[in-house]
Amino acid sequence: MYDEAENITFGKGMTKMTRTATLILDGKKYELPVHEGAEGEIGIDITQLRAMSGVIAYDPGYANTGSCKSAITFIDGEKGILRYRGIPIEQFIDYPNFIEAAWLLIFGRLPQKPELRRFSELLTVHAPLHEAMKHHFEGFPVNAPPMAILSAMINTLSCFDEHLARFEDDEKFEVAAAKLISKVRTIAAYSYRRSMGQPFIYPDPKLRYCANFLHMMFSMPYDQYVIDPEVEDALNLLFILHADHEQNCSTSTVRMVGSSRANLFASCAAGVCALWGPLHGGANVAVIEMLDQIHKGGLKPEECIKLAKDKNSGFKLMGFGHRIYKNFDPRARVIKSQCDKVLYKLGIHDPLLDIARKLEELALKDPYFAERKLYPNVDFYSGIIMRAIGIPLDMFTVMFAIGRLPGWVAQWKEQHDDDTMRIARPRQIYIGERKTDYTPIINR
Ligand code: ACO
């Protein structure tokens, strides 16, 4: 229960509540402070709960736990709202500049022209990898999963830039952020080249962020890849749509690792591993595999929906459902609307888009999905755009990681700058054996 009282505004976007929540346990009352966010989100503060009462909160999957206060991204999952530093995601469609969005997320406001220029220059300067790092790629098997290479190589960056683990000011942090955001693109492209047995292509300082990535992916030493501005714009938009999503699984991982004061690179390398899973970023691969199976006649859309509803099948409608969105994922809406545009401009007809539309139509009118508020998420349509711009399937989750990097960097910085930050260390409810005696091996 809440006790309503007057709120006192203090600091940026935060309200210190004079109201409290009362917990009654075994007849005893505990008053718990209540916090309210800038958009009215209410959180009961249980930081002193165990000290006061000896009990803990139980919330597996953290669906009801606010792990931090953050000013970076706002989501209203019921209304399908996503905003970066207050700016609705839809407003980036007409200005697809991933680097501007990255700076916004990390530093909290839109950059002025000189600031954007400086950051772009830093990205250019830091795009090449240390030559010694190039040899690491040769140690990976040719068919190694690119996400494994990406995580390993981001971690390896710590070996080459140890001093970047400490930041005295924002300027130093900006250099570290630029290094990571720029090099991740080079690492990603190199991992693809390695998997194809093709020579590495050095970054071209004359090219912008997305164009440079496409160049490193698809140019040959004897044949320069010609960059289509439509493709470049589509890639910018795709990265922007993935740039941050508050405390999701991979971002929480970055914060969890960073809370031990692990450096930025190590924390983001852990984020890549979390993103890899099929229930998170890996879903974009699973969606295309599912659509492809339907296309090749292995499965009918109606059967697919039936399987997804059957709890014993172990099958899920990939690209559908979200922990937070109980309405349309606004990113899916944007991507869906861009799919037609991009495919039309590139002169591509992708039958998988027709299948995706059919599946969506069937799912949206099915009570199973309606009752559970399951809608397409960002991964449902993103693969179709990636295919259109020539990205191979096993690079899809890597693309997600490149896009998400600015968000991880911003979240890591916000936590790093927060004086109240403590090491993340959840508790548990132990359900194992009670005290039992050790039995020597000969008596077992
Ligand atoms: N297909 C069929 N049923 C589903 C699906 C789905 N895609 N998603 C959820 N459900 C069902 C669950 O079985 C559950 O049913 P029940 O109430 O009868 O037990 C109900 O809907 C609620 O689902 P939860 O699993 O409790 O939802 P949760 O918040 O834990 O999981 C998740 C969210 C992981 C995204 C889930 O919807 C899912 O697995 N979707 C498919 C994978 C996917 O697309 N992941 C990408 C997410 S976006 C991102 O990470 C970028």
Side-chain angles (χ1 to χ4, degrees):
M1 67 180 85
Y2 292 128
D3 286 339
E4 289 287 346
E6 209 180 322
N7 304 335
I8 305 164
T9 302
F10 80 108
K12 194 180 160 197
M14 277 297 298
T15 305
K16 184 181 179 186
M17 306 298 289
T18 51
R19 66 175 156 171
T20 55
T22 308
L23 171 75
I24 303 171
L25 183 70
D26 297 334
K28 274 194 180 169
K29 277 189 180 181
Y30 303 97
E31 296 296 319
L32 300 167
V34 174
H35 297 276
E36 185 174 338
E39 293 283 350
E41 181 108 71
I42 295 195
I44 298 171
D45 184 338
I46 57 159
T47 47
Q48 296 304 313
L49 178 62
R50 191 167 183 279
M52 287 193 302
S53 64
V55 304
I56 59 169
Y58 177 60
D59 184 22
Y62 310 128
N64 296 286
T65 297
S67 59
C68 61
K69 288 174 187 164
S70 179
I72 300 169
T73 291
F74 172 70
I75 300 174
D76 184 328
E78 274 71 35
K79 294 190 185 136
I81 292 173
L82 168 63
R83 297 183 198 137
Y84 293 160
R85 299 284 185 182
I87 303 174
I89 192 71
E90 294 80 8
Q91 292 187 19
F92 292 90
I93 301 175
D94 297 331
Y95 310 95
N97 183 337
F98 175 57
I99 296 314
E100 189 185 40
W103 204 93
L104 165 77
L105 286 168
I106 298 167
F107 296 105
R109 60 176 171 79
L110 286 167
Q112 298 296 335
K113 262 189 189 166
E115 290 169 328
L116 191 56
R117 198 178 314 120
R118 180 188 137 83
F119 194 54
S120 299
E121 281 164 9
L122 284 173
L123 292 169
T124 303
V125 170
H126 293 298
L129 300 181
H130 192 290
E131 278 297 298
M133 271 188 83
K134 262 177 56 183
H135 303 300
H136 286 246
F137 286 92
E138 284 153 26
F140 293 110
V142 172
N143 57 355
M147 285 298 270
I149 300 180
L150 189 71
S151 173
M153 295 305 276
I154 291 177
N155 214 357
T156 307
L157 288 175
S158 313
C159 310
F160 292 87
D161 265 309
E162 252 178 288
H163 65 283
L164 282 175
R166 293 179 292 277
F167 308 107
E168 291 98 48
D169 51 39
D170 271 6
E171 233 171 82
K172 286 236 165 50
F173 189 82
E174 190 180 22
V175 174
K179 280 197 175 192
L180 189 47
I181 292 170
S182 190
K183 287 186 196 302
V184 76
R185 162 190 63 162
T186 315
I187 293 171
Y190 278 22
S191 68
Y192 171 64
R193 306 294 295 205
R194 170 77 187 142
S195 71
M196 299 297 288
Q198 291 174 350
F200 296 146
I201 299 292
Y202 281 91
D204 180 344
K206 292 189 292 300
L207 295 177
R208 287 147 58 97
Y209 190 87
C210 291
N212 215 344
F213 174 69
L214 292 165
H215 160 69
M216 287 189 277
M217 285 281 290
F218 302 124
S219 282
M220 281 293 181
Y222 46 84
D223 187 12
Q224 180 85 8
Y225 173 81
V226 180
I227 289 141
D228 182 332
E230 300 294 346
V231 170
E232 193 183 343
D233 275 359
L235 195 54
N236 262 296
L237 185 63
L238 206 67
F239 284 156
I240 290 172
L241 292 174
H242 287 89
D244 193 49
H245 213 235
E246 52 118 301
Q247 308 313 316
N248 55 80
C249 177
S250 54
T251 303
S252 297
T253 302
V254 170
R255 278 190 180 253
M256 171 74 87
V257 176
S259 79
S260 74
R261 301 266 184 232
N263 73 59
L264 177 67
F265 303 132
S267 306
C268 290
V272 171
C273 295
L275 188 71
W276 193 358
L279 295 190
H280 192 12
N284 57 16
V285 175
V287 170
I288 294 295
E289 286 169 348
M290 178 182 78
L291 297 178
D292 207 36
Q293 201 188 344
I294 296 173
H295 178 53
K296 287 183 178 144
L299 193 66
K300 289 199 170 66
E302 291 76 8
E303 286 168 356
C304 190
I305 297 290
K306 209 171 148 194
L307 269 180
K309 295 192 292 182
D310 176 3
K311 299 283 179 210
N312 298 320
S313 71
F315 179 87
K316 282 187 170 191
L317 187 58
M318 297 313 281
F320 254 73
H322 199 276
R323 172 61 62 80
I324 302 283
Y325 292 118
K326 299 303 169 198
N327 194 325
F328 255 86
D329 178 339
R331 303 166 300 173
R333 228 193 265 271
V334 172
I335 296 186
K336 187 183 176 190
S337 72
Q338 292 301 302
C339 263
D340 279 331
K341 217 171 105 187
V342 173
L343 266 58
Y344 174 75
K345 282 187 178 160
L346 297 177
I348 294 172
H349 172 79
D350 189 343
L352 298 200
L353 179 58
D354 301 332
I355 296 169
R357 284 214 189 88
K358 177 74 184 165
L359 271 181
E360 181 187 332
E361 187 195 313
L362 289 172
L364 292 186
K365 62 183 185 203
D366 191 302
Y368 173 94
F369 293 89
E371 280 158 19
R372 290 168 180 77
K373 299 188 173 147
L374 302 171
Y375 294 90
N377 59 49
V378 66
D379 293 319
F380 196 65
Y381 286 103
S382 65
I384 306 224
I385 294 205
M386 285 196 259
R387 271 161 64 93
I389 60 184
I391 305 294
L393 185 64
D394 63 357
M395 287 293 287
F396 281 14
T397 317
V398 171
M399 302 299 285
F400 193 151
I402 301 175
R404 183 53 56 87
L405 230 290
W408 290 339
V409 171
Q411 301 272 350
W412 189 96
K413 181 179 189 302
E414 185 174 66
Q415 176 173 262
H416 186 265
D417 292 347
D418 179 358
D419 296 335
T420 64
M421 194 271 279
R422 300 171 75 196
I423 188 166
R425 204 310 187 180
R427 286 189 173 264
Q428 63 168 10
I429 293 180
Y430 176 69
I431 55 164
E433 289 286 343
R434 303 200 69 182
K435 183 176 176 291
T436 174
D437 290 327
Y438 175 80
T439 315
I441 197 157
I442 47 162
N443 299 340
R444 276 174 232 162

